[in-house]
Amino acid sequence: DAKTTQPNSMESNEEEPVHLPCNHSTISGTDYIHWYRQLPSQGPEYVIHGLTSNVNNRMASLAIAEDRKSSTLILHRATLRDAAVYYCILRRGSNYKLTFGKGTLLTVNP
Amino acid sequence: EAGVTQFPSHSVIEKGQTVTLRCDPISGHDNLYWYRRVMGKEIKFLLHFVKESKQDESGMPNNRFLAERTGGTYSTLKVQPAELEDSGVYFCASSHSGLGSPLHFGNGTRLTVT
């Protein structure tokens, strides 16, 4: 599986936007970019995914670089409930499983 | 819709005993996965069912672990005999078939082997 690189931790203030970066320089053409998050004492939760174009849903936006070697998860207005570990995962089109890395621990300050 | 449910939420057993974890996927999801996180490590894939068939069991650590999914509905993961290093949180997830279908995870079973 292709690797992703994320900062170990980030901090944000409540109600401000958060941009979580992810580098994936060895991404292949069939790799989807998935984001999951894990809140304390819960299982991972799907956030968003994309292939080439930017994507929006009710939780977040995903901005994908034109060369697809990096992406950014955008939380438009962080809330305390968004404090979690965020995982950027490359998932090959024909492969159903996810390979988790260390992720980014997001702290949201009131 | 009801989410993925796992039983029990916690289990404490002694080394050498047997434990069975259960996972009920979201209704209609053909794909079912088991993952685990041991202390201080990353979440690791264990295996993947498509309906009742094992599609990929490359992550199963050894033959003390046995997963079943009879009838393609709920799944069980049995550890027999349990060892200290099996302690951790075991997550189950399910998904529809189809490229990019997201995985829906349960809240896990925390297993402690003493």
Side-chain angles (χ1 to χ4, degrees):
Chain A
D1 292 330
K3 298 282 190 190
T4 63
T5 304
Q6 300 177 252
N8 290 333
S9 62
M10 291 185 65
E11 230 175 288
S12 172
N13 295 320
E14 206 175 2
E15 298 191 6
E16 290 184 356
V18 182
H19 291 234
L20 295 162
C22 181
N23 288 319
H24 28 78
S25 58
T26 59
I27 191 170
S28 76
T30 57
D31 285 338
Y32 286 78
I33 302 160
H34 282 247
W35 285 82
Y36 283 74
R37 71 181 185 181
Q38 188 175 21
L39 281 66
S41 300
Q42 295 188 24
E45 176 187 29
Y46 168 77
V47 178
I48 199 166
H49 77 281
L51 184 61
T52 56
S53 303
N54 294 344
V55 184
N56 300 297
N57 66 20
R58 63 175 179 80
M59 290 180 70
S61 295
L62 176 60
I64 301 173
E66 197 168 332
D67 63 5
R68 300 212 322 130
K69 294 183 184 232
S70 66
S71 60
T72 303
L73 179 70
I74 302 165
L75 307 179
H76 296 285
R77 289 181 71 228
T79 68
L80 296 179
R81 195 196 171 277
D82 292 322
V85 178
Y86 286 77
Y87 298 97
C88 170
I89 300 170
L90 299 184
R91 189 179 181 197
R92 194 136 296 174
S94 60
N95 189 347
Y96 282 85
K97 73 182 183 188
L98 301 173
T99 300
F100 287 85
K102 291 183 170 52
T104 296
L105 174 63
L106 175 66
T107 301
V108 180
N109 300 313
Chain B
E1 66 182 0
V4 175
T5 51
Q6 295 187 243
F7 304 96
S9 57
H10 294 82
S11 180
V12 181
I13 61 172
E14 293 182 355
K15 177 182 171 180
Q17 289 186 322
T18 297
V19 63
T20 300
L21 314 181
R22 173 173 168 140
C23 169
D24 285 75
I26 293 173
S27 178
H29 282 190
D30 287 340
N31 295 284
L32 187 148
Y33 315 79
W34 284 97
Y35 287 78
R36 76 171 179 178
R37 183 204 293 273
V38 296
M39 182 69 74
K41 297 289 181 66
E42 296 156 15
I43 299 171
K44 294 290 189 186
F45 167 83
L46 295 179
L47 89 159
H48 168 207
F49 283 100
V50 177
K51 297 184 181 179
E52 66 275 11
S53 300
K54 291 176 185 174
Q55 184 76 12
D56 180 354
E57 50 185 330
S58 60
M60 294 288 265
N62 52 60
N63 59 10
R64 295 186 295 103
F65 289 75
L66 176 63
E68 294 180 324
R69 191 183 183 195
T70 307
T73 55
Y74 72 91
S75 175
T76 57
L77 180 65
K78 181 190 289 188
V79 185
Q80 179 182 30
E83 298 288 347
L84 298 178
E85 64 263 26
D86 301 330
S87 295
V89 183
Y90 289 77
F91 296 104
C92 175
S94 69
S95 74
H96 281 299
S97 295
L99 294 178
S101 293
L103 274 62
H104 300 263
F105 284 81
N107 285 332
T109 294
R110 180 173 295 277
L111 175 65
T112 302
V113 182
T114 62

